[in-house]
Amino acid sequence: MSVFGEFFVPSNAFALHETLDTVSDMVIEIERVVATEEVLTPYFWVSGRHPTRFENAVADDPSIQNLEQLDQFEESALYRAEWTSHIESVVYIYTEIKAVVLEATGTDERWELRIRFDDREQLDKFQDYCEDNGIAFNLQQLYDLSQPKTGGQYGLTPKQQEALVTAWHKEYFETPRESSLEEVADELDITQQSLSKRLSRAHHSLIGNTLIIESDSSNAQL
């Protein structure tokens, strides 16, 4: 059974530490990571600074290479790049134990990560690896799909649950809508773009953990 862990880790123990240290008021949100046998390719949003300053800082960061800007908006920009072997913890997560980083938000002080493990054994391997290599991954919350509490049983983070509940109370999902995305975002004190991404991820988790049946369901009767 899948296990979800939420971790805090100092920025110097994860990716893009030198960049975050150079441009200290910047926030990085990793949207997804494409993993192959040879390379890990993160897609991530950068906000809080003009893209040129971020790109200049990345040029001297050994944890990432082949940066490419995919899109740019008023408050943020979307990038694709490649992680290098300088961030062993990330490489280990994907290539050795096959866990998945569902969310990661980084500042100059720390990264907040949400990781999905296939089972407790996989989680134990990850924690043992961090301990053996002096990596300061601090577990903040742990839950699995069998726990009948809040949104954890559906794979939701507290922030995703808060966004869904707030949008529901403000009748954002009604037809016609009684409030706008901007009004819900103002209530949560976040940007519209952050709210949109948070709702999208929340819907993805809800569908994946309530409506989607794994491959073993081929013998199930309708």
Side-chain angles (χ1 to χ4, degrees):
M1 179 175 294
S2 294
V3 179
F4 298 86
E6 295 180 8
F7 299 85
F8 290 162
V9 58
S11 63
N12 61 5
F14 201 69
L16 291 166
H17 162 60
E18 294 191 14
T19 299
L20 287 166
D21 191 49
T22 300
V23 195
S24 59
D25 58 350
M26 181 178 63
V27 177
I28 298 175
E29 293 182 79
I30 296 177
E31 183 171 86
R32 64 189 177 100
V33 176
V34 177
T36 67
E37 293 182 359
E38 298 181 354
V39 68
L40 296 176
T41 303
Y43 291 73
F44 55 91
W45 293 92
V46 174
S47 57
R49 280 286 187 174
H50 191 278
T52 302
R53 297 199 63 185
F54 166 74
E55 292 165 11
N56 290 338
V58 164
D60 297 321
D61 195 317
S63 69
I64 205 163
Q65 62 187 11
N66 297 330
L67 182 73
E68 178 183 357
Q69 186 185 107
L70 301 179
D71 220 331
Q72 184 175 346
F73 299 90
E74 182 177 349
E75 298 180 351
S76 61
L78 176 64
Y79 291 92
R80 175 176 59 205
E82 294 177 4
W83 274 330
T84 70
S85 58
H86 288 275
I87 45 173
E88 291 85 356
S89 59
V90 179
V91 175
Y92 180 82
I93 290 170
Y94 279 97
T95 62
E96 297 297 326
I97 62 173
K98 310 299 183 183
V100 178
V101 177
L102 298 174
E103 291 186 56
T105 302
T107 67
D108 62 321
E109 295 183 354
R110 71 184 187 187
W111 279 87
E112 299 179 14
L113 300 103
R114 181 166 171 265
I115 304 175
R116 186 185 69 222
F117 303 92
D118 288 345
D119 49 39
R120 295 274 176 162
E121 181 180 358
Q122 194 179 66
L123 170 64
D124 290 341
K125 288 181 179 179
F126 173 68
Q127 291 181 306
D128 289 343
Y129 172 83
C130 291
E131 183 176 350
D132 292 343
N133 291 273
I135 300 173
F137 269 78
N138 298 313
L139 179 63
Q140 301 298 308
Q141 185 177 2
L142 186 67
Y143 50 89
D144 58 44
L145 299 185
S146 66
Q147 294 176 326
K149 56 176 65 174
T150 64
Q153 63 176 324
Y154 305 116
L156 297 177
T157 67
K159 290 181 180 179
Q160 289 171 353
Q161 181 178 347
E162 179 188 32
L164 284 174
V165 171
T166 301
W168 186 86
H169 280 302
K170 293 186 73 67
E171 299 184 343
Y172 173 76
F173 299 115
E174 297 295 326
T175 304
R177 288 175 173 167
E178 296 298 322
S179 62
S180 66
L181 189 70
E182 180 180 6
E183 290 171 325
V184 179
D186 288 343
E187 181 75 15
L188 294 168
D189 195 26
I190 60 177
T191 66
Q192 293 183 57
Q193 182 179 318
S194 294
L195 175 60
S196 178
K197 289 189 289 182
R198 198 169 292 178
L199 290 175
S200 177
R201 292 167 179 166
H203 289 147
H204 183 274
S205 293
L206 283 174
I207 294 171
N209 291 308
T210 58
L211 301 179
I212 303 301
I213 302 174
E214 298 300 329
S215 58
D216 289 344
S217 64
S218 57
N219 294 326
Q221 296 182 0
L222 300 178

